[in-house]
Amino acid sequence: MRSLEVTTPWQEEDEDVEVDDMELSKNSRDEMSETSSDEATGRKIARRRTGGSTTSGGSSSGSTTTRRRKTGISARERNLRRLESNERERMRMHSLNDAFEQLREVIPHIKMERKLSKIETLTLAKNYIMALTNVICEMRGEEKHYTFQDVSEDRDSVDTVTTIQEISREQNNNSMFQENLELPQENTLINSR
DNA sequence: TAGGCCATCTGGTCCT
DNA sequence: AGGACCAGATGGCCTA
């Protein structure tokens, strides 16, 4: 992935002076251009012109008034680091999204026009694991590990459990499912959403 | 138009 | 010290 190639206000100045952080934030946001694309992945990099947080999450230590810098780095340097940090964060989120995509591909679910949302993906994955665990227990002749409650209110659960039951019927004699599989400690896990 | 979902920016905190 | 992680804020897109 390439670095951002944006002409920024601080590229014009290179003075190592004390600068108000709020002003820096403003400059950083003002820099944002519309969109560009990532050459390596083809992903669109959207940058807002007016976005960004005013009071960022969990950040309570700094006042909104002028704060003094910890070190002697210039405003230009700090903004450069910010951009690099943004880039790393984008990459991190992209890899997280890739992982979600891979998870979507292995979860059996009813085909939909739209793709599964993240929360749906996680919920289905959890249900899938629980249902598979029950299948294993069933094959071993043990008591079911998890109890699905109130499935009528949870269509995803129903879909997943139905799918797993079908799988278990087909693979009822598959010894791979019956040998040396570690099961979670909990005996029940209420299916909530 | 409201609400859901998402991508991105941002700064604090944690970890190596 | 620097990068990873996290969560709040914001705006864009889409759908009912």
Side-chain angles (χ1 to χ4, degrees):
Chain A
M1 181 172 301
R2 67 166 178 75
S3 306
L4 303 179
E5 296 174 348
V6 187
T7 304
T8 57
W10 57 87
Q11 285 175 328
E12 311 300 330
E13 46 121 347
D14 191 20
E15 309 152 295
D16 187 7
V17 294
E18 292 292 336
V19 182
D20 179 62
D21 278 354
M22 293 305 290
E23 193 60 29
L24 273 175
S25 281
K26 181 169 128 346
N27 285 344
S28 185
R29 287 194 301 274
D30 288 347
E31 160 269 333
M32 299 169 193
S33 60
E34 287 74 28
T35 58
S36 59
S37 62
D38 186 319
E39 287 171 5
T41 65
R43 291 184 215 266
K44 184 176 277 187
I45 300 173
R47 278 158 293 148
R48 293 189 303 275
R49 192 170 284 278
T50 57
S53 60
T54 49
T55 56
S56 74
S59 53
S60 54
S61 62
S63 75
T64 54
T65 56
T66 303
R67 285 176 289 156
R68 296 187 72 82
R69 283 197 314 252
K70 291 177 194 163
T71 61
I73 59 173
S74 66
R76 185 186 184 192
E77 174 69 14
R78 273 187 297 160
N79 280 283
L80 184 63
R81 288 184 188 180
R82 210 339 108 191
L83 291 182
E84 288 170 351
S85 183
N86 290 348
E87 178 74 7
R88 284 193 300 272
E89 179 66 5
R90 269 198 305 275
M91 298 284 280
R92 197 180 70 83
M93 295 310 296
H94 287 169
S95 68
L96 185 63
N97 288 339
D98 287 343
F100 266 104
E101 196 52 50
Q102 290 173 42
L103 189 55
R104 281 186 191 100
E105 288 171 9
V106 299
I107 300 174
H109 62 277
I110 304 300
K111 288 284 177 201
M112 295 190 291
E113 285 296 317
R114 60 173 181 82
K115 71 174 184 181
L116 291 172
S117 70
K118 291 179 178 179
I119 185 69
E120 286 168 339
T121 302
L122 289 178
T123 304
L124 279 173
K126 182 201 72 175
N127 293 339
Y128 189 33
I129 291 168
M130 291 165 67
L132 278 177
T133 303
N134 280 347
V135 167
I136 293 166
C137 287
E138 209 171 312
M139 287 174 169
R140 287 173 169 175
E142 297 170 1
E143 219 170 282
K144 284 187 177 175
H145 216 69
Y146 298 114
T147 307
F148 288 87
Q149 289 194 348
D150 213 6
V151 290
S152 62
E153 289 180 9
D154 190 339
R155 281 193 51 82
D156 291 342
S157 299
V158 175
D159 294 343
T160 306
V161 171
T162 304
T163 307
I164 302 305
Q165 285 170 345
E166 286 167 2
I167 292 170
S168 73
R169 271 196 292 276
E170 287 174 14
Q171 302 185 334
N172 207 21
N173 293 319
N174 188 340
S175 61
M176 188 183 80
F177 282 88
Q178 302 177 41
E179 293 171 358
N180 303 324
L181 284 169
E182 289 285 323
L183 296 178
Q185 292 302 307
E186 292 82 8
N187 282 327
T188 60
L189 202 159
I190 305 305
N191 181 37
S192 60
R193 191 177 168 185

